[in-house]
């Protein structure tokens, strides 16, 4: 089983419009709501792949009730940590048109030390049966920047690999706990290190404590610095998706990487899986979903070269 922790989950609301234009009225062609947050998206992808996964998430208020109902309806295994009265889970709104996606993220509730202790206790109950721990997304207000380090150390006490997908202080403050793999995107990589060159920046994060670094470079694929070598993995230009809904692409890559860590597979295969699954997620209408046919088609086409 792979356990994902989403400290700041959300009810994801997606609006589809022909074209997004500022300062005007839009007629929404379709509306979709689902439980979201990066770790929930990772668990949803794993579940679709037939990999046992459980999403751990703190939930509160009426939005939390809607999220629980959606998870129950879709059959995604989860453990809900109730928040104190008055703490309401956030929403995110994604507007998708033919060219791109625009995301509006609410800040979410403020978590207390007691709330975080309940999250840690929930994780401690799940980890004895787990093979990998995934920590994804922003930290809620009220938590210290090093809060992810608590979970990294807890997983290491159980002998589990940890994937951390976060940015800013949530990433840099967790490095001292030595996560097995960190997966920033290009902007997060630059912000965390102050280094413009992605390879040099990834090596800096590895020197800072991450055992492996896999950076998402958007259409340019993935850059990996691992104990076994450094690679650049990407699809041929003709298979790179322009437009689509890229909001769940990084989460799909994390799902593939977490599964590879659970299996103990080689890095080149893990990166190929991550690139193909990430690209197939861009072809899907909502985060946490992917185009299975595109995934299977693209997997043998992924090109790896030394970085």
């Amino acid at each position: 089983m792979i356990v994902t922790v989403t400290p700041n989950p959300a009810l994801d609301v997606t609006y589809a419009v022909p074209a997004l234009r500022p300062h005007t009225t839009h007629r929404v062609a379709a509306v979709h709501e689902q439980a979201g947050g990066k770790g929930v998206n990772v668990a949803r992808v794993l579940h679709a792949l037939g990999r046992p996964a459980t999403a751990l998430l703190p939930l509160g208020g009426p939005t939390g009730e809607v999220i629980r109902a959606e998870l129950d309806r879709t059959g995604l295994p989860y453990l809900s940590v109730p928040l104190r009265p008055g703490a309401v889970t956030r929403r995110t709104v994604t507007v998708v048109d033919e060219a791109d996606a625009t995301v509006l993220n609410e800040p979410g509730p403020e978590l207390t030390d007691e709330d975080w202790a309940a999250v840690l206790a929930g994780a401690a109950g799940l980890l004895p049966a787990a093979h990998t721990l995934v920590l994804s997304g922003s930290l809620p207000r009220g938590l210290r920047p090093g809060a992810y380090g608590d979970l990294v150390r807890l997983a290491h006490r159980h002998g589990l690999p940890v994937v951390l997908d976060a940015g800013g202080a949530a990433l840099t403050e967790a490095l001292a706990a030595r996560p097995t793999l960190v997966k920033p995107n290009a902007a997060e990589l630059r912000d965390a290190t102050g280094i413009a060159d992605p390879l040099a920046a990834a090596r800096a994060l590895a020197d800072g404590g991450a055992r492996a670094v896999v950076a998402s470079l958007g259409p340019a694929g993935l850059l990996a610095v691992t104990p076994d070598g450094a690679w650049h993995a990407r699809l041929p230009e003709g298979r790179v998706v322009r437009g689509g809904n890229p909001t769940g692409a990084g989460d799909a890559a994390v799902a593939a990487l977490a599964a590879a860590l659970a299996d103990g597979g080689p890095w080149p295969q893990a990166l190929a899986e991550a690139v193909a699954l990430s690209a197939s997620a861009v072809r899907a209408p909502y985060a946490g979903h992917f185009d299975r046919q595109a995934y299977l088609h693209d997997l043998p086409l992924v090109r790896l070269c030394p970085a």
Side-chain angles (χ1 to χ4, degrees):
M1 177 179 67
I2 296 172
V3 174
T4 73
V5 179
T6 309
N8 201 13
L11 177 65
D12 283 350
V13 182
T14 302
Y15 294 146
V17 298
L20 180 62
R21 298 184 179 91
H23 314 303
T24 188
T25 300
H26 295 76
R27 293 191 181 277
V28 177
V31 180
H32 178 80
E33 290 187 349
Q34 67 177 34
K38 294 177 72 63
V40 177
N41 295 337
V42 172
R44 201 182 294 272
V45 171
L46 289 166
H47 186 65
L49 288 170
R51 302 292 302 239
T54 298
L56 170 63
L57 60 168
L59 295 174
T63 310
E65 291 300 323
V66 174
I67 288 175
R68 289 188 190 94
E70 195 273 337
L71 292 172
D72 288 337
R73 185 171 62 254
T74 57
L76 181 64
Y78 71 97
L79 175 63
S80 168
V81 177
L83 295 176
R84 70 192 185 285
V88 179
T89 300
R90 66 185 178 136
R91 298 165 299 171
T92 66
V93 176
T94 302
V95 183
V96 180
D97 62 16
E98 294 179 356
D100 210 336
T102 300
V103 183
L104 305 175
N105 289 328
E106 295 181 1
E110 184 171 332
L111 264 62
T112 65
D113 291 342
E114 290 75 16
D115 292 326
W116 187 239
V119 172
L120 292 174
L126 291 173
L127 292 186
H131 297 93
T132 303
L133 176 64
V134 175
L135 311 175
S136 287
S138 61
L139 289 173
R141 294 177 297 165
L143 294 186
R144 66 192 188 285
Y148 269 139
D150 300 339
L151 286 163
V152 175
R153 286 183 284 269
L154 179 62
H156 286 337
R157 287 199 289 272
H158 288 271
L160 299 179
V162 182
V163 181
L164 173 61
D165 182 8
L171 167 61
T172 56
E173 293 294 319
L175 292 177
R178 293 189 56 77
T180 312
L181 187 156
V182 298
K183 197 218 68 65
N185 61 33
E188 291 166 342
L189 184 62
R190 184 174 58 253
D191 291 345
T193 62
I195 300 172
D197 176 64
L199 180 58
R203 293 192 187 280
L205 285 186
D207 291 342
R211 300 180 188 181
V213 180
V214 177
S216 298
L217 305 180
L222 297 176
L223 175 69
V225 173
T226 80
D228 298 330
W231 293 274
H232 183 203
R234 64 171 301 166
L235 283 169
E237 185 64 30
R239 289 298 296 175
V240 174
V241 181
R242 307 293 179 182
N245 182 2
T247 54
D251 302 327
V254 169
L257 295 167
L261 285 177
D263 295 341
W267 282 108
Q269 181 62 30
L271 295 171
E273 294 275 355
V275 167
L277 198 56
S278 177
S280 72
V282 178
R283 299 176 185 273
Y286 311 115
H289 300 263
F290 63 96
D291 183 322
R292 187 178 298 273
Q293 183 175 357
Y295 163 60
L296 295 174
H297 178 275
D298 287 348
L299 183 57
L301 303 180
V302 177
R303 298 172 178 173
L304 281 92
C305 61

